[in-house]
């Protein structure tokens, strides 16, 4: 795995219109491998666009450096960098046809006409717009424009393709289709993609790795599954997926396993990651779908017992809110059984929690 | 269903005719009427003390275009050369306005909202002062003992006062000054609409600043350039105030010639014929413009948008 892009301690701040500084990037470091699909995920305003613009050359960093295939970019202007961008609003040229939009980068690079025609044709085939070459941009639907933007930025085979929330303007069905297509294209072309989104589901589906950004800092950089199962801090835990975060304290450790006591004195056994010593205050992450509702009296194991206060039928599952004295309201997603009366509001319930469904996060502010 | 649709269509048509009636009557009365009178006059014989005699004559055009009344005079190409000079001066004015306004409009478009409006106000400010007064100010600036020459002499840039007033250059300066707002406003409106992300997209795709300008900025602001050029060119071509004040007797434009025919030479038919020439030139220009526009529209319309996805 060789690095195609390396971001080293990048910092960038803007003058806020109200005065003061906005720190859009704070000491961000990141290494991206060839042919990797990396997603920058974070809420609006966390610095995703700024990071892409720093790579593409539209923002100069205050500190730090960006290397593309080992070459320091410094303040090299955007048109001399071997990266291309799919812009948030596509930014297609309305005065040019679809084919001329796609051929733009080749034309300015002085590629000869026959070669351009061939490569543009191939590219249009690839994104399924073969018959649309002579159309104007205004005559395309949103999904088609999206594909033109993609074709336009891929035709010159950049080392890295930057995509700034490219799917956010599309409706849900089309978005799913484009997610698959994008992933397919990336695979086919072997180009490194840096994909920006604020949609965690999208990030989980598409990425090799995800960098979760918040406040200009990378909170966690991991593969989707690791990110979902083992978030490093509360922000990541809350941002990705549904979560119950219960305050607790580590009471015993033995190797990989450890016991944690919740605020209502229930003790759960979970897996330990990192060094959480006895007595450490932690947040206990239990995903709503990792619990199992007791089917019969005979089921045993560690459980949280409580009373159902809200119950929503959503087809395959019930979404429950379970209350227990001493604990914050606990959300659970359980399979819808034939005997649905068990999940009515007001019913008592035992929720079994498997050991690997208990993940401990060092409480913020507490020394880990 | 069909009947209702038809009646709706009929009602729409009626509304349309109703709306069109007013401007049609207005134009017929104030524009077509006088124009027809002019047109008829071009084929009449001049009266002795102004006015016309109702005797057909083709010599008014002949005098301009190459056949003359051999009883009195020979064909003189002076009118064609004055016309060509007018075209040249008007074109130079258009170019000068363009060169000044284009960068300035970009600069204004990048200012904060409040300042933008202020600059647009500034641009229109001269309209509040009489044109004659403003042009006399230019006489004072440009004449040999004027402000400009004093300044240049004082700085030692020139040894002799420059001979600017009563030259082509003075006329171009004056017309540029008068017509700059007409160039600025359409230019500004197309430049302000220019989407900055398109410029970034161009750079992102590897285009140098010059390539970006030629391939994106210029074509996208072309409507403003063409529109501004036309509405500066038309009044420049027929202008007679600026050349009579700043050009004096040395720079005569077609507008002056027409004015003379009506006011001092008292040859109305000939003046009318000259006027028709100016109008023919302007019409030709507009026709080319419309042709270009409609061709672009047709290009855009050849394929109707399809909303369904391709796969
Ligand atoms: N040109 C700018 N001037 C001032 N502040 C900016 C500028 N660009 C971005 N910011 C600020 O920097 C922060 C990060 O912005 P951005 O990278 O666009 O976030 P994201 O793309 O994640 O939504 C935001 O608080 C934004 O307001
Ligand atoms: Mg953004």
């Amino acid at each position: 795995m060789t690095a195609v892009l390396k971001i080293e301690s990048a910092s960038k701040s803007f003058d806020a219109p109200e005065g003061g500084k906005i720190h859009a990037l704070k000491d961000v470091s990141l290494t991206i491998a060839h042919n990797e699909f990396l997603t920058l995920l974070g809420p609006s305003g966390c610095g995703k666009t700024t990071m892409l613009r720093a790579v593409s050359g539209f923002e100069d960093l205050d500190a730090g450096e960006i290397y593309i295939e080992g070459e320091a970019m410094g303040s090299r202007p955007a048109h001399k960098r071997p990266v291309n961008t799919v812009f948030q609003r596509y930014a297609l040229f309305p005065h040019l046809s679809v084919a001329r939009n796609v051929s733009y980068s080749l034309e300015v690079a002085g590629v000869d006409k026959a070669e351009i025609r061939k490569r543009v044709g191939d590219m249009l085939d690839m994104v399924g717009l073969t018959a649309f070459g002579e159309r104007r941009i205004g005559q395309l639907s949103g999904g088609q424009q999206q594909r033109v933007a993609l074709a336009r930025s891929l035709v010159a085979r950049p080392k890295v393709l930057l995509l700034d929330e490219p799917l956010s303007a599309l409706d849900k069905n089309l978005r799913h289709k484009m997610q698959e297509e994008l992933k397919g294209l990336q695979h086919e072309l072997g180009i490194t993609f840096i994909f920006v989104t604020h949609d965690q589901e999208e990030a989980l589906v598409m990425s090799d790795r995800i960098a979760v950004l918040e406040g200009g800092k990378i909170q966690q950089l991991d593969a989707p599954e690791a990110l979902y199962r083992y978030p490093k801090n509360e922000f990541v835990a809350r941002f990705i997926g549904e979560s119950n975060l219960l305050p607790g304290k580590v009471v015993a450790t033995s190797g990989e396993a450890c016991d944690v006591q919740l605020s209502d004195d229930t003790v759960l056994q979970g897996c330990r990651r990192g060094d959480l010593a006895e007595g450490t205050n932690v947040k206990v992450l239990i995903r709503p779908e990792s619990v199992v509702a007791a089917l019969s009296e005979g089921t045993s194991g560690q459980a949280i017992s409580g009373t159902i206060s809200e119950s929503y039928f959503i087809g395959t599952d019930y979404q429950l809110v379970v209350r227990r004295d001493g604990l914050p309201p606990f959300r659970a997603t359980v399979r819808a059984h034939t005997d649905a009366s068990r999940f009515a509001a007001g019913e008592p319930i035992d929720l079994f929690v498997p050991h690997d469904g208990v993940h401990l996060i060092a409480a913020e502010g507490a020394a880990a | 269903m069909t009947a209702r649709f038809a009646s709706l269509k009929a009602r729409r048509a009626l509304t349309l005719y109703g709306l069109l009636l007013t401007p049609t009557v207005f134009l017929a009365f104030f524009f077509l009427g006088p124009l027809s009178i002019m047109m008829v006059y071009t084929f009449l014989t001049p009266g002795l003390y102004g006015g016309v005699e109702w005797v057909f004559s083709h010599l008014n055009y002949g005098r301009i275009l190459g056949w003359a009344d051999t009883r009195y005079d020979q064909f003189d190409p002076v009118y064609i050369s004055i016309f060509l000079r007018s075209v040249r001066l008007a074109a130079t004015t258009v170019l000068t306005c363009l060169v000044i306004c284009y960068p300035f409009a970009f600069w204004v478009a990048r200012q904060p909202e409040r300042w933008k409006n202020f600059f647009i106000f500034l641009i229109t400010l001269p309209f509040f002062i009489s044109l004659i007064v403003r042009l006399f100010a230019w006489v004072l600036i440009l004449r040999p003992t004027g402000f400009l020459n004093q300044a240049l002499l004082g700085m030692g840039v020139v040894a002799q006062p420059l001979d600017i007033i009563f030259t082509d250059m003075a006329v171009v300066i004056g017309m540029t000054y008068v017509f700059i707002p007409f160039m600025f406003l359409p230019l500004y409106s197309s430049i302000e609409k220019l989407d900055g992300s398109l410029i970034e997209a161009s750079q992102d795709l590897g285009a140098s600043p010059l390539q970006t300008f030629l391939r994106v900025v210029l074509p996208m602001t072309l409507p403003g350039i063409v529109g501004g050029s036309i509405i500066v060119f038309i009044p420049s071509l027929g202008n007679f105030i600026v050349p009579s004040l700043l050009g004096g007797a040395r720079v005569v434009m077609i507008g002056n010639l027409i004015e003379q025919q009506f006011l001092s030479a008292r040859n109305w038919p000939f003046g009318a014929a000259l006027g028709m020439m100016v109008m023919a030139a302007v019409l030709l220009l507009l026709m080319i413009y419309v042709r270009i526009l409609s061709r672009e529209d047709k290009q855009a319309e050849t394929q109707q948008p399809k909303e369904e996805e391709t796969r």
Side-chain angles (χ1 to χ4, degrees), chain B residues 78-101:
Chain B
V78 69
Y79 304 115
I80 287 189
S81 82
I82 288 176
F83 178 74
L84 289 182
R85 168 198 281 157
S86 304
V87 170
R88 199 185 66 229
L89 291 182
T92 316
T93 303
V94 166
L95 272 181
T96 318
C97 285
L98 200 57
V99 167
I100 294 171
C101 287

Side-chain angles (χ1 to χ4, degrees), chain A residues 174-330:
Chain A
L174 197 52
R175 200 154 72 212
H176 284 306
K177 206 164 68 174
M178 284 307 298
Q179 286 172 2
E180 284 169 28
E181 282 184 27
L182 263 180
K183 194 72 186 135
L185 263 179
Q186 192 250 347
H187 197 72
E188 201 169 330
L189 295 170
I191 290 175
T192 305
F193 277 31
I194 303 183
F195 183 88
V196 162
T197 182
H198 61 257
D199 180 344
Q200 41 125 344
E201 212 173 303
E202 194 165 278
L204 292 173
V205 169
M206 303 180 73
S207 321
D208 293 326
R209 283 192 305 162
I210 299 172
V212 180
L213 256 79
E214 159 64 5
K217 270 181 135 65
I218 294 186
Q219 302 293 327
Q220 188 169 356
L221 174 61
D222 247 322
E225 197 172 338
L227 208 61
Y228 184 80
R229 285 187 194 283
Y230 314 117
K232 280 195 179 128
N233 57 35
E234 270 191 64
F235 176 81
V236 177
R238 282 187 202 282
F239 193 72
I240 294 181
E242 296 278 300
S243 56
N244 293 294
L245 280 168
L246 312 174
K249 187 182 226 173
V250 178
V251 288
T253 62
S254 72
E256 283 288 273
C258 77
D259 289 346
V260 59
Q261 185 179 37
L262 303 182
S263 49
D264 68 336
D265 295 341
T266 309
V267 173
L268 295 176
Q269 199 179 61
C271 305
R272 191 163 69 123
R273 303 203 161 243
D275 44 10
L276 293 169
E278 270 174 48
T280 315
N281 283 323
V282 292
K283 282 285 166 76
V284 181
L285 170 68
I286 302 172
R287 298 284 184 194
E289 69 281 2
S290 66
V291 299
V292 181
L295 275 180
S296 61
E297 300 310 314
T299 317
S300 65
Q302 55 184 1
I304 293 175
S305 311
T307 311
I308 298 173
S309 70
E310 290 165 48
S311 169
Y312 304 100
F313 178 64
I314 56 159
T316 53
D317 298 309
Y318 273 96
Q319 279 183 350
L320 308 177
V321 177
V322 175
R323 290 187 192 267
R324 177 183 169 85
D325 288 343
L327 283 184
F330 187 92

